[in-house]
């Protein structure tokens, strides 16, 4: 089949394309991406070498453009990774989050219905459930998002539910945990800290770093999404978690260890997310596991390989870190704590 993968030039979307090209030799992919600040052609250079991959630059809110791609490419399934994804950026300004994560999703759902696409997967996040001080979220847990980012993702999920109920649009939602691996834009905990430590720069630990996240390697996340696409039921939601729960402070110390850097590079800063910094995320993923998926990558090995990848791929991340937009964001958000010029 031909898949339309939206958000293909980002972190998880590009990993998903690699996964499909490797595991489904009969499939072709049309990758679509707006190439926002976090989408990079350098991330998909290897994919572009495949005759089974082609790339289109467009925004998912552009219903006419996406419809044209779907019709001319005889697309049978859409997997949507396109999103604004950074909590901290959503605290500064949420307009793009609402445009892409809510309106964009509703436009894609209209394309699915209008063009007779057989299945769509909406890639969502555990953050829509809000904090889990105890226990685990199931797919039936209430949506209690706490940041503008997670609220926009929850609104996208509700668009999916409504289109399934109202029109029978064949959409599946996946909710994955915190992902790590190669090609992650250097703004999330592991990728941001790795590139800063590699440059002997300080890393900002929010508060005491006691927030707990459920970490999943990006290829395990990609495999989970693929399992939901091929074996899941339209209208259903599937959590994709690992039960690998780690405190941010623990991750930070492991990164220092792996890179042989001193503790003095940790700068504890006042939590910019204030009350919205969820203390813990944790999911019950037995529903997806019952379809045959399970995580394969051991966390210690995955983290070691990921840090080695950033060490070896300065040519990928340094041009991003040198962009004025990137430096302005870091200085504006963390400036006083990290000693960066404002
Ligand atoms: N990174 C994580 O830990 C994580 C965890 C769970 C779920 N998710 C979800 O996975 C998806 C992908 O996340 P990611 O980490 O790969 O993000 P990313 O920022 O690396 O990639 C997002 C991609 O979407 C593109 N994009 C943004 N707006 C667009 C638009 N309007 N039209 C077309 N393309 C657009 C960007 O150019 C970029 O290539 C998101 O939906 C996110 O909510 C991420």
């Amino acid at each position: 089949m031909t898949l339309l993968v939206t958000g293909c030039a980002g972190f998880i979307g590009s990993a998903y394309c690699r996964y499909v090209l490797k595991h489904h030799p009969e499939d072709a992919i049309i990758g679509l991406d707006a190439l926002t600040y976090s989408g990079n052609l350098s991330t998909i250079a290897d994919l572009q070498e495949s005759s089974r991959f082609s790339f289109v630059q467009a925004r998912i809110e552009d219903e006419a453009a996406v419809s044209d791609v779907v019709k001319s490419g005889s697309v049978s399934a859409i997997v949507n990774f396109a999103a604004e994804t950074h909590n901290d950026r959503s605290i500064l300004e949420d307009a793009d989050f609402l445009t892409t994560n809510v309106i964009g999703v509703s436009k894609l759902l209209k394309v699915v219905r209008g063009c007779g696409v057989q299945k769509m997967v909406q890639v969502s996040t555990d953050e829509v459930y809000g904090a889990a001080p105890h226990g685990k979220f199931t797919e039936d847990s209430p949506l209690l998002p706490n940041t503008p980012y997670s609220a926009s993702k929850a609104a996208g999920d509700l668009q999916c539910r409504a289109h399934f109920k109202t029109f029978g649009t064949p959409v599946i939602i996946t909710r994955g945990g915190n992902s790590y691996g190669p090609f992650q834009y250097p703004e999330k905990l592991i990728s941001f800290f790795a590139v800063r430590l590699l440059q002997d720069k300080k890393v900002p630990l929010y508060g005491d770093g006691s927030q707990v996240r459920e970490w999943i390697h990006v290829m395990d996340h990609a495999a989970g999404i693929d399992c939901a696409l091929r074996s899941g039921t339209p209208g259903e939601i599937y959590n994709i978690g690992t039960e690998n729960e780690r405190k941010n402070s623990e991750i930070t110390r492991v990164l220092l260890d792996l890179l042989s850097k001193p503790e003095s590079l940790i700068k504890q800063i006042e939590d910019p997310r204030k009350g919205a910094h969820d203390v813990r995320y944790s999911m019950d993923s037995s529903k997806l596991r019952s379809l045959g998926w399970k995580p394969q990558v051991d966390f210690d090995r995955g983290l070691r390989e990921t840090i080695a990848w950033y060490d070896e791929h300065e040519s990928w991340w340094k041009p991003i870190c040198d962009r004025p937009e990137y430096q302005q964001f870091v200085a504006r958000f963390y400036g006083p704590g990290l000693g960066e010029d404002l």
Side-chain angles (χ1 to χ4, degrees):
M1 67 175 160
T2 299
L3 297 170
L4 176 65
V5 177
T6 51
C8 70
F11 169 47
I12 310 176
S14 64
Y16 180 70
C17 292
R18 280 181 202 100
Y19 180 90
V20 170
L21 291 181
K22 181 171 174 193
H23 293 276
H24 301 288
E26 69 288 2
D27 286 356
I29 297 174
I30 302 174
L32 180 147
D33 201 293
L35 300 178
T36 67
Y37 79 93
S38 71
N40 282 291
L41 287 177
S42 59
T43 300
I44 55 168
D46 59 325
L47 297 171
Q48 302 251 42
E49 285 170 15
S50 168
S51 59
R52 294 191 284 129
F53 180 87
S54 56
F55 177 71
V56 180
Q57 184 171 356
R59 295 193 65 88
I60 56 168
E61 316 83 90
D62 187 343
E63 195 182 331
V66 181
S67 284
D68 280 352
V69 172
V70 166
K71 284 184 199 146
S72 62
S74 306
V75 165
S76 29
I78 298 179
V79 186
N80 179 37
F81 296 86
E84 290 294 329
T85 64
H86 192 28
N87 265 312
D88 292 350
R89 285 180 186 259
S90 79
I91 291 169
L92 292 176
E93 174 57 62
D94 65 357
D96 290 346
F97 288 76
L98 298 173
T99 302
T100 297
N101 301 357
V102 189
I103 295 172
V105 172
S106 88
K107 297 282 187 186
L108 281 181
L109 289 161
K110 283 172 82 177
V111 171
V112 169
R113 187 165 94 247
C115 297
V117 175
Q118 284 158 30
K119 255 187 197 177
M120 167 170 158
V121 174
Q122 167 61 10
V123 177
S124 188
T125 164
D126 57 358
E127 299 194 28
V128 297
Y129 297 121
H134 314 287
K136 291 185 175 303
F137 291 121
T138 70
E139 290 81 356
D140 295 326
S141 297
L143 298 184
L144 294 170
N146 289 319
T147 67
Y149 160 65
S150 51
S152 70
K153 291 297 292 183
D157 288 11
L158 292 178
Q159 288 298 315
C160 294
R161 176 189 157 87
H163 279 247
F164 173 76
K165 293 281 181 191
T166 308
F167 308 109
T169 309
V171 60
I172 289 167
I173 295 170
T174 62
R175 295 186 179 142
N178 269 49
S179 303
Y180 70 97
F183 294 111
Q184 184 167 32
Y185 190 84
E187 65 181 359
K188 308 283 168 62
L189 182 74
I190 290 177
S191 55
F192 182 46
F193 281 22
V195 305
R196 286 193 70 85
L197 293 174
L198 283 165
Q199 300 170 91
D200 291 311
K201 292 183 172 177
K202 288 189 174 166
V203 295
L205 190 64
Y206 293 174
D208 62 0
S210 60
Q211 308 86 359
V212 174
R213 300 289 177 260
E214 187 174 4
W215 290 95
I216 180 168
H217 191 273
V218 68
M219 290 318 279
D220 279 334
H221 194 167
I225 291 164
D226 199 57
C227 176
L229 169 72
R230 291 167 205 269
S231 307
T233 305
E236 295 293 324
I237 300 167
Y238 298 91
N239 289 341
I240 310 180
T242 52
E243 298 183 355
N244 171 41
E245 297 185 17
R246 309 276 171 149
K247 286 185 180 171
N248 287 351
S249 54
E250 181 191 344
I251 300 270
T252 307
R253 290 208 161 73
V254 176
L255 295 184
L256 287 175
D257 259 12
L258 287 171
L259 291 167
S260 306
K261 301 290 180 187
E263 284 259 336
S264 56
L265 285 180
I266 299 180
K267 180 77 192 174
Q268 274 183 302
I269 63 168
E270 194 190 334
D271 196 335
R273 296 186 200 171
K274 313 253 183 239
H277 208 154
D278 296 331
V279 290
R280 176 173 169 261
Y281 298 130
S282 183
M283 288 179 292
D284 177 336
S285 303
S286 49
K287 189 169 167 187
L288 188 65
R289 285 173 191 248
S290 74
L291 297 182
W293 172 85
K294 64 171 193 248
Q296 307 285 341
V297 182
D298 167 73
F299 183 66
D300 294 336
R301 172 172 69 84
L303 193 55
R304 207 173 44 248
E305 289 175 0
T306 297
I307 298 313
W309 187 89
Y310 285 97
D311 196 10
E312 288 156 13
H313 289 80
E314 186 177 323
S315 58
W316 180 81
W317 55 261
K318 192 69 169 53
I320 294 173
C321 296
D322 287 344
R323 286 184 201 154
E325 191 276 345
Y326 182 83
Q327 291 179 354
Q328 280 157 16
F329 171 74
V330 172
R332 187 171 168 205
F333 209 76
Y334 314 104
L338 297 181
E340 311 247 336
D341 292 339
L342 281 172

